[in-house]
Amino acid sequence: MSIVIRTLSERVFEIVREQIVTGQLPEDVPIRQDALASDLGVSKIPLREALARLEQEGLLTSQANRGYFVRAMSTGEVDEIYALRLCIEPAAAAYACGVASEQDREKALAAFEALDRAANDSLGDVAVRNRDFHTALVRPGGRLLTTQMVERLSILSERYVVAHLKPAGRNARAHVEHKKLIDSWMARDARQLETLLKEHIEGTLYDLRAQFAATAG
């Protein structure tokens, strides 16, 4: 029975997470757990477990006697997330490409291909595959803390990745940039990879700042 509950909780977690990442659940409004559990066809137990995990990921906040809320996206948060990514990710990926084993290289290429396929599916799936791809470029470095930080920042980036990809043409541009990244990584061209990854992250940040400014205006 416990295995079934964990499996159900995991599935609920994935569904609610996608609803948050794609904006289906509104920000700063209490999540109506009874209604959400009913919509999902589950009891409140696996839903509560999923919501607690989502709070740990930084997608939700909780308030006493008010329940869970989707955290609002902000320029301040996106600046902080992407500044940290710029400090850590390009150098980490550049190091990793030089020490990656053949198995690591196969996994990185598979992560790119999965991201490429996801572009034709939901943006929620794209966000997850994008995280997997960026982490796959860093993990072969064998630096556990660095990999954990990159993955954590990628998780926090996912709603911003979805927001960034919504305007027309962004998916095509992202594909071109990711293709250049994997080509450089596979070629073990650390210098070019570090430059391209910085440009990729900076370009996304620039676009997101413009989007937030336009919305505020």
Side-chain angles (χ1 to χ4, degrees):
M1 179 64 72
S2 61
I3 294 176
V4 174
I5 291 174
R6 283 199 298 272
T7 302
L8 181 58
S9 175
E10 180 70 26
R11 181 60 183 146
V12 171
F13 168 80
E14 292 170 355
I15 293 171
V16 177
R17 190 174 184 281
E18 181 168 357
Q19 291 181 352
I20 295 170
V21 169
T22 57
Q24 296 175 57
L25 285 178
E27 298 176 352
D28 291 334
V29 176
I31 292 176
R32 297 173 56 215
Q33 293 187 38
D34 289 334
L36 184 54
S38 178
D39 289 344
L40 297 175
V42 299
S43 72
K44 291 176 69 174
I45 294 174
L47 177 59
R48 286 190 188 121
E49 292 174 355
L51 295 178
R53 283 185 62 191
L54 290 163
E55 183 178 23
Q56 290 178 347
E57 283 205 353
L59 293 175
L60 297 178
T61 59
S62 61
Q63 298 179 16
N65 302 318
R66 297 196 67 199
Y68 289 96
F69 297 74
V70 176
R71 285 189 59 192
M73 296 169 68
S74 68
T75 304
E77 183 177 64
V78 79
D79 279 348
E80 184 174 9
I81 291 170
Y82 280 78
L84 287 168
R85 288 186 64 182
L86 283 167
C87 287
I88 299 169
E89 197 172 328
Y95 171 74
C97 78
V99 299
S101 67
E102 284 307 309
Q103 186 178 29
D104 292 328
R105 288 158 63 80
E106 289 173 6
K107 288 180 178 178
L109 188 57
F112 167 75
E113 291 170 348
L115 172 58
D116 197 35
R117 289 193 300 271
N120 298 317
D121 299 324
S122 70
L123 282 176
D125 193 34
V126 171
V128 172
R129 300 306 172 197
N130 184 74
R131 178 229 302 174
D132 292 343
F133 172 67
H134 280 269
T135 306
L137 299 184
V138 169
R139 183 176 286 113
R143 296 168 171 172
L144 179 60
L145 181 57
T146 298
T147 301
Q148 288 175 337
M149 292 178 71
V150 168
E151 186 167 26
R152 171 70 173 155
L153 291 168
S154 293
I155 288 170
L156 292 172
S157 298
E158 286 181 5
R159 286 195 295 165
Y160 296 101
V161 168
V162 169
H164 177 255
L165 291 176
K166 284 181 178 178
R170 292 273 177 82
N171 252 327
R173 193 185 92 188
H175 167 76
V176 171
E177 292 178 2
H178 287 141
K179 182 65 168 63
K180 290 180 179 178
L181 289 173
I182 192 64
D183 286 348
S184 296
W185 197 90
M186 294 296 288
R188 301 189 190 274
D189 190 339
R191 181 175 296 180
Q192 183 182 47
L193 174 66
E194 186 166 359
T195 297
L196 289 173
L197 192 46
K198 283 181 179 178
E199 291 174 351
H200 175 66
I201 295 171
E202 287 172 345
T204 302
L205 176 58
Y206 177 85
D207 290 339
L208 286 167
R209 283 173 174 165
Q211 285 174 238
F212 277 108
T215 302

